[in-house]
């Protein structure tokens, strides 16, 4: 509240505070230095510990509501990376790990379709669909990471859209970034780590879907290109000159055959941090 994270808190306030209080997590790994310069990275993970969909509640048929404990898969990957880098004692890098953790529930204080939220940078967001909540928590996390951590690059991981599963299936994550160099770094890291990652278009013309008549932008566009408009929403909360990438890991985060989490993303992030520090 002191940082005026209205987008994040708009999602979190649907949970009873005595049972599931929101937690904003910031861990920092500082590796031993062997040279004059080192890289500073920020890794942000979506941390919805449970997602009911809010008042736009997920359907029982096909909505995967019973699986929504995996909606913190992005944060699990980020925190798993923190553990890995610490155990490796990776040199010449500082890495910030950020998670805006909460639930998305229905209750007397929950956000409603039509509400206006104000993010910590002052931008206003019209809530069209309460089940597009992850991007709201990530918006304030991105603002915080840039202002407080001063990173050379930011990567966020999120089980953000079902549209990503339709596009790439359950084995491959989607990569969105306007920065070609960062795209190459991450796809090379994924390849070396044995994780499947495919760069998707970040078609700025689709930003028109996010225009609102009563706020700076809406939290969802139309049905077409849902994963792209979600990434374009996040892009609105990062400075143009800061290298940023978004990984939509909705597909590979869960192994439907074995009905278990995969830990997708940890190996790619570790490989990327190692490459940046070398």
């Amino acid at each position: 509240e002191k940082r005026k994270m209205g987008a994040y808190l708009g999602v979190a306030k649907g949970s009873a505070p005595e049972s599931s209080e929101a937690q904003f997590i910031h861990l920092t790994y500082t590796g031993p230095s062997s040279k004059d310069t080192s890289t500073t990275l920020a890794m942000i993970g979506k941390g919805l510990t449970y997602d009911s969909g809010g008042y736009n509640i997920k359907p029982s048929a096909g909505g995967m509501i019973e699986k929504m404990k995996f909606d913190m898969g992005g944060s699990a990957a980020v925190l798993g990376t923190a553990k890995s880098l610490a155990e490796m004692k990776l040199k010449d890098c500082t890495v910030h790990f950020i998670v805006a953790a909460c639930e998305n529930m229905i209750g007397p204080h929950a956000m409603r379709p039509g509400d206006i939220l104000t993010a910590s940078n002052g931008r206003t967001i019209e809530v069209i669909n309460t089940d597009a909540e992850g991007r709201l928590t990530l918006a304030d996390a991105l603002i915080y990471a840039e202002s407080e951590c001063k990173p050379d690059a930011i990567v966020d991981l999120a089980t953000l859209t079902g549209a990503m599963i339709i596009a790439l299936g359950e084995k491959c994550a989607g990569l969105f970034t306007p920065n070609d160099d960062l795209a190459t770094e991450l796809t090379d890291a994924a390849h070396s780590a044995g994780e499947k990652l495919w760069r998707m278009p970040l078609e700025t013309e689709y930003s028109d879907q996010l225009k609102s008549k009563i706020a700076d932008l809406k939290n969802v566009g139309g049905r077409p290109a849902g994963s792209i408009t979600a990434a374009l929403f996040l892009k609105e909360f990062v400075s143009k000159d800061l290298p940023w990438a978004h990984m939509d890991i909705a597909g590979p985060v869960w192994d439907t055959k074995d009905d278990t989490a995969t830990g997708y993303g940890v190996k790619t992030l570790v490989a990327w941090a190692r490459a940046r520090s070398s």
Side-chain angles (χ1 to χ4, degrees):
E1 290 182 354
K2 291 181 180 179
R3 292 182 178 273
K4 299 180 180 180
M5 294 184 177
Y8 167 42
L9 292 175
V11 178
K13 67 183 182 180
S15 294
E18 65 274 11
S19 63
S20 184
E21 186 176 3
Q23 300 287 335
F24 193 90
I25 302 164
H26 179 184
L27 302 178
T28 304
Y29 170 76
T30 303
S33 179
S34 62
K35 54 187 180 182
D36 293 336
T37 59
S38 63
T39 188
T40 299
L41 307 174
M43 301 179 183
I44 300 173
K46 175 184 171 183
L48 267 291
T49 54
Y50 186 77
D51 178 19
S52 70
Y55 279 108
N56 292 109
I57 193 167
K58 294 179 182 292
S60 56
M64 302 176 70
I65 192 168
E66 76 283 0
K67 292 286 195 300
M68 281 301 111
K69 58 189 177 184
F70 75 42
D71 215 19
M72 39 63 70
S75 63
V78 164
L79 296 178
T81 302
K83 183 175 186 292
S84 297
L85 296 186
E87 290 176 347
M88 293 167 58
K89 295 181 171 60
L90 187 66
K91 295 181 179 180
D92 303 318
C93 71
T94 298
V95 186
H96 298 272
F97 307 93
I98 296 168
V99 177
C102 65
E103 294 180 331
N104 183 27
M105 300 296 286
I106 296 172
H109 304 295
M111 66 177 177
R112 297 150 298 196
D115 280 355
I116 305 295
L117 305 179
T118 303
S120 50
N121 64 352
R123 301 206 71 188
T124 54
I125 305 161
E126 181 185 4
V127 177
I128 301 299
N129 190 320
T130 61
D131 196 23
E133 84 299 326
R135 65 199 70 183
L136 298 173
T137 67
L138 290 170
D140 277 326
L142 286 164
I143 296 164
Y144 174 89
E146 181 175 352
S147 63
E148 297 297 321
C149 306
K150 305 296 189 292
D152 299 317
I154 297 178
V155 174
D156 75 73
L157 282 79
T159 49
L160 204 63
T161 65
M164 196 75 265
I165 303 176
I166 301 302
L168 295 180
E170 299 177 349
K171 301 298 182 183
C172 188
L175 172 66
F176 300 84
T177 178
N179 189 290
D180 292 338
D181 291 338
L182 184 55
T184 299
E185 290 177 18
L186 289 168
T187 51
D188 287 350
H191 180 74
S192 67
E195 293 186 320
K196 296 180 180 180
L197 181 65
W198 189 262
R199 189 179 186 185
M200 300 291 288
L202 198 58
E203 180 53 63
T204 56
E205 189 174 345
Y206 294 160
S207 295
D208 288 346
Q209 295 186 39
L210 299 174
K211 289 182 178 179
S212 168
K213 294 182 179 180
I214 58 174
D216 291 319
L217 68 165
K218 299 187 294 188
N219 75 324
V220 292
R223 287 182 61 84
S227 294
I228 298 175
T229 55
L232 288 169
F233 177 90
L234 297 179
K235 183 172 176 284
E236 293 290 324
F237 297 91
V238 184
S239 295
K240 292 181 179 180
D241 58 349
L242 177 62
W244 157 80
H246 160 60
M247 291 171 58
D248 192 331
I249 64 171
V253 74
W254 192 262
D255 186 323
T256 54
K257 182 179 179 181
D258 293 334
D259 201 30
T260 187
T262 63
Y264 181 93
V266 175
K267 292 187 287 185
T268 293
L269 291 179
V270 169
W272 178 55
R274 292 183 66 180
R276 289 292 297 241
S277 66
S278 63

